[in-house]
Amino acid sequence: MRSSEANRIYFDRAADQLDLNENMRQLLLTPRREVQVQIPVELDSGAIATFIGYRVQHNNARGPMKGGLRYHSQVDLDEIRALASLMTWKTAVVNIPYGGAKGGIALDPTSLSTRELERVTRRFVDNVHDLIGPDVDIPAPDMGTSSEVMAWIMNQYDKFHGFSPACVTGKPVEYHGLPGREEATGRGVGLLTLKLLSRLGRRIPGTRVAIQGFGNVGTHTAKFLRDAECRIIAVGDATANFHSEKGLDVLEMIRYVHSNGGALAGYKGGDAISHQELLFCNCDVLIPAALGGVLTSENAGHIKAPIIIEAANAPTNPAADAFFDEIGVTVLPDILCNAGGVTASWFEWVQNRQHYQWGMNRVRQELDRILGEAFEQVWQLASTKKVSLRTAAFMLGVGRVHRATALGGIE
Ligand code: GLU
């Protein structure tokens, strides 16, 4: 199933509850603009490579469009379109004044040198600089991109438009970035996991957690939950997966991946298991924190975790989601669960526009407050309407975008 079809199913479930008519659904689902650009660059070898870049600007009813830029070999227009719409609902769920967008370049970042990645990034900005900007559409990191890539984006954008730090978020702290932005998505995932465990009446210390994906989001989530005395019993990435019933040494694993080019391969502190064994392991909480589409109708029946925390975007396809709903597995949906990143992006944007510096304590405090409020609203809506947390989150997000659209009008 295509990513955008999957999203349509989740959207329609919420739209039915909200009683939206077909014309309004069409308006809310149709992206404002989709661009595809050619990115020719000279490789270090002197050869020329041509990449394809995308930016989908989904909706700006509630503010400038906002969303990450993904570097991955499987990036295509349909995936970016689906992820852009998720950003629209995500910014609305946490009630920050943005719409939604997403971009991507189809490439494997591990196969390019830093200089090559920089050339690709700057060339992409050359192509889209007139379509983005602090009041229009603000990119940020996503899978395969980092604060370094964001610095290149700002620097290249500035060449056309002058000093504009708010044109992109997720920048290095030393280069107009925000302390706490890098950890924010994982911190939010961890925080909301604890809130959910409490709401479900479960004891937090000793909770057995499995995390699939050990990049920025996975590592910070692991660290946060470890600090809250959860037991991280399984961790994996694209290169290796490890298990330890008595708990993995998360801090040692993080040090290892930082010294090993970001990969877990070769780690010695746990029992090596397969990717499938990680997903199917006996645990209390399963956290997909990498690619989309990992939980499907084929594997859903083998998942033993009673709680699934969607740190990744769109990790659960609709058939698996329906199955989990039916058998009583609780799924904390992506558009709420991983919204900490874009929320901290908002702080960074505000800081840049005010030419003021925020401190880490303030970032954490405001982040925790905003995510906590959104969680309570979604939880209450799910309880009163007797719907899943995903449908409640979509109802909250889609409902807010619908109201802004109706209030602004379309003339
Ligand atoms: N890429 C992140 C997401 O999917 C962050 C987006 C942002 O900060 O704009 O939410």
Side-chain angles (χ1 to χ4, degrees), residues 298-358:
E298 280 90 63
N299 63 21
H302 300 284
I303 306 287
K304 295 187 192 69
I307 299 170
I308 294 170
I309 303 287
E310 293 188 336
N313 285 313
T316 313
N317 78 15
D321 189 62
F323 175 77
F324 292 142
D325 207 19
E326 207 178 288
I327 64 166
V329 169
T330 306
V331 179
L332 189 68
D334 48 7
I335 57 172
L336 169 63
C337 174
N338 68 32
V342 72
T343 303
S345 276
W346 175 46
F347 304 154
E348 181 174 332
W349 181 82
V350 169
Q351 165 188 281
N352 291 150
R353 307 204 71 159
Q354 296 178 333
H355 303 283
Y356 184 76
Q357 191 82 44
W358 283 39

Side-chain angles (χ1 to χ4, degrees), residues 191-202 307-309 330-332 375 379 389:
L191 184 91
L192 295 181
T193 303
L194 301 188
K195 287 204 180 293
L196 182 64
L197 287 168
S198 304
R199 273 294 189 175
L200 294 171
R202 298 178 80 109
I307 299 170
I308 294 170
I309 303 287
T330 306
V331 179
L332 189 68
F375 177 85
W379 181 270
L389 292 172

Side-chain angles (χ1 to χ4, degrees), residues 186 189-194 196-197 202-214 217-236 241-250 253 273 277-289 303-311 337:
V189 171
L191 184 91
L192 295 181
T193 303
L194 301 188
L196 182 64
L197 287 168
R202 298 178 80 109
R203 211 178 103 79
I204 290 168
T207 298
R208 294 151 71 247
V209 180
I211 304 178
Q212 184 246 345
F214 210 53
V217 180
T219 51
H220 284 291
T221 302
K223 189 168 176 304
F224 189 93
L225 290 176
R226 169 210 169 266
D227 291 348
E229 294 176 36
C230 294
R231 189 155 28 118
I232 316 297
I233 60 157
V235 167
N241 301 273
F242 297 95
H243 181 269
S244 163
E245 195 46 44
K246 64 178 194 343
L248 293 158
D249 185 339
V250 168
M253 287 183 109
I273 54 170
E277 285 170 326
L278 181 136
L279 290 180
F280 301 165
C281 81
N282 202 343
C283 61
D284 303 309
V285 175
L286 173 65
I287 309 187
I303 306 287
K304 295 187 192 69
I307 299 170
I308 294 170
I309 303 287
E310 293 188 336
C337 174

Side-chain angles (χ1 to χ4, degrees), residues 258-269:
H258 286 330
S259 67
N260 193 39
L264 272 171
Y267 180 69
K268 296 277 179 277

Side-chain angles (χ1 to χ4, degrees), residues 66-68 87 90 102 138 140-142 169 181 313 338 341-342 345:
K66 186 85 192 78
M87 287 308 303
K90 190 186 301 187
K102 197 75 152 204
I138 306 119
D142 198 86
T169 59
R181 169 63 185 85
N313 285 313
N338 68 32
V342 72
S345 276

Side-chain angles (χ1 to χ4, degrees), residues 105-122:
I105 303 179
L107 58 78
D108 172 8
T110 61
S111 69
L112 296 182
S113 71
T114 305
R115 287 285 299 124
E116 288 169 338
L117 277 177
E118 179 175 349
R119 285 198 288 277
V120 171
T121 304
R122 289 186 185 275

